[in-house]
Amino acid sequence: MSWLRRYAAELVVTAAVLAGTLFAVLSDRADPPHHAVLGWVLTVLCCAAVFFRRQYPLSVAGFALVCCALYYPLTDPDGLVLLAFAYTLYNAAATGRIRGAALLVVAAMAGVAAGEISSRTGRHVDNFAFFLMTGWFVALVAGGAVAHYRAEAERTKEAEARARATDERLRIARELHDVLGHHLALINVQAGAALHRRDPAQAEEALGTIKDASKTALQELRATLGMLRQAEPSLSRVAELAESVGASGLTVRTEIDGVARDLPPDVEHAAFRVVQEALTNVAKHAAAKTVVVRLAYGADALSVQVDDDGRGGDAPPGTGIRGMAERARALGGELTAAPREGGGYRVRARLPVR
């Protein structure tokens, strides 16, 4: 039954054309039909072409016009082949072939005018009928154009909705990576330290740090899975990050250039995540002893720089640096991550303040 639903409009048009033509033939008994076989052949061909309207909308409308141009001058009585042309004309405009449909209207009415002028048996279409036909054809093209632009607007709206959904999924993915990656890295470092420390006091301290990190990770994970509607992280929590990383043995210093001030939430959020990811990478990969976090408040931008004195080298594998760069680009900023000349590694982000 799916084909019935697919071709419902075509079947209705075909039934109307055939029924109307048959009624015209049966009701006109005064004179025998003129070129009846040709009339039925043109009618059937025109109705068959309607079923290809989706693949070739403008071509089908043009073919229906040709059928009408042959049917009405050469045969009688007048059937409803014109209905098939009207439907295909609307369909062509509704699929975006608006200019082509308008040209078909011009061609149709020019053909009617030429036929009336050259007719030797008098006029068949008076002025009122001529202008009425023109008005109907123009209305069909206009209605198809409205349907086309409305469908385009719906498709654009759906595409924008899909793009927003994709951006939201990427944002959630970055949030989950940042939240879990930072704390799980600390837990991993502390667990490794606890395994290699023979002093029970040191092992107990490492286990306490693991407990605190896991508790914080669970809290932030709940906030993230709650569709990220809780208050977003801000730079006021950088001290907490420094303290949590310092528990693994690193020395973390925070330096501020300029006058610290409240920034837009998206800038604060991105800056916090850049610092968090950079500190996580230092704890996991750098084998560093000291990390310096610099926040420079400028008139038009916030600069975030994280330097360590570790082994340097290429960027650590994974999605962390790519996620930081995506955050910076989303705000119109930029991020660089590269080894320092004097040793160690540097992550620097510039985030415009709007």
Side-chain angles (χ1 to χ4, degrees):
M1 298 296 290
S2 60
W3 67 271
L4 243 135
R5 288 193 296 270
R6 176 176 173 80
Y7 294 106
E10 290 88 339
L11 291 171
V12 170
V13 171
T14 299
V17 171
L18 295 178
T21 303
L22 182 61
F23 178 78
V25 171
L26 295 177
S27 61
D28 188 8
R29 297 180 179 178
D31 299 314
H34 187 60
H35 293 160
V37 175
L38 176 62
W40 280 110
V41 169
L42 291 172
T43 301
V44 171
L45 286 175
C46 189
C47 291
V50 172
F51 285 83
F52 296 93
R53 67 179 181 87
R54 291 182 176 85
Q55 297 93 325
Y56 315 103
L58 194 59
S59 299
V60 168
F63 181 79
L65 177 59
V66 171
C67 290
C68 291
L70 296 174
Y71 179 88
Y72 288 103
L74 300 179
T75 69
D76 58 33
D78 292 344
L80 291 184
V81 181
L82 192 64
L83 176 63
F85 171 63
Y87 176 70
T88 57
L89 188 66
Y90 171 85
N91 175 74
T95 55
R97 280 73 171 181
I98 300 170
R99 184 176 300 177
L103 291 176
L104 288 179
V105 172
V106 173
M109 300 319 298
V112 172
E116 290 298 308
I117 293 172
S118 62
S119 176
R120 297 179 180 178
T121 59
R123 297 194 62 178
H124 301 83
V125 180
D126 58 23
N127 291 339
F128 176 77
F130 181 86
F131 288 116
L132 183 64
M133 188 184 302
T134 304
W136 275 111
F137 286 161
V138 171
L140 286 170
V141 174
V146 170
H148 169 69
Y149 289 124
R150 187 172 295 171
E152 282 291 308
E154 288 296 325
R155 283 192 290 269
T156 301
K157 189 182 297 183
E158 291 176 2
E160 290 175 352
R162 287 194 296 270
R164 286 195 298 270
T166 300
D167 291 342
E168 184 66 14
R169 285 196 298 269
L170 291 175
R171 189 166 77 94
I172 292 174
R174 287 196 297 264
E175 288 296 316
L176 290 174
H177 174 272
D178 291 344
V179 169
L180 295 179
H182 173 72
H183 295 291
L184 290 179
L186 291 179
I187 291 173
N188 180 65
V189 171
Q190 291 297 326
L195 287 174
H196 293 88
R197 289 174 181 171
R198 297 183 179 180
D199 186 350
Q202 292 181 337
E204 183 178 354
E205 181 182 354
L207 291 175
T209 303
I210 291 173
K211 179 182 177 181
D212 293 339
S214 61
K215 180 180 179 181
T216 304
L218 287 173
Q219 290 173 345
E220 294 203 22
L221 181 59
R222 290 192 189 100
T224 303
L225 295 180
M227 299 307 294
L228 307 177
R229 295 189 183 277
Q230 280 74 13
E232 294 186 334
S234 66
L235 292 177
S236 61
R237 295 180 55 194
V238 168
E240 297 178 21
L241 284 178
E243 184 180 351
S244 63
V245 174
S248 63
L250 281 169
T251 300
V252 182
R253 295 202 317 268
T254 302
E255 299 178 357
I256 296 178
D257 295 335
V259 179
R261 65 183 187 277
D262 291 334
L263 300 174
D266 53 352
V267 177
E268 293 249 356
H269 187 187
F272 177 87
R273 292 307 187 195
V274 167
V275 174
Q276 185 182 52
E277 181 62 30
L279 292 178
T280 299
N281 287 338
V282 172
K284 290 170 60 177
H285 306 288
K289 296 181 179 179
T290 303
V291 185
V292 179
V293 178
R294 293 184 177 88
L295 302 177
Y297 290 83
D300 301 321
L302 171 71
S303 294
V304 179
Q305 184 171 305
V306 180
D307 295 331
D308 68 72
D309 60 356
R311 62 169 64 99
D314 295 331
T319 60
I321 290 181
R322 185 168 67 247
M324 287 190 289
E326 288 174 357
R327 290 183 185 278
R329 286 196 298 270
L331 297 173
E334 58 184 357
L335 181 136
T336 58
R340 295 193 301 162
E341 292 184 1
Y345 202 81
R346 169 174 292 171
V347 174
R348 187 177 187 277
R350 180 184 178 278
L351 306 176
V353 177
R354 294 188 295 272

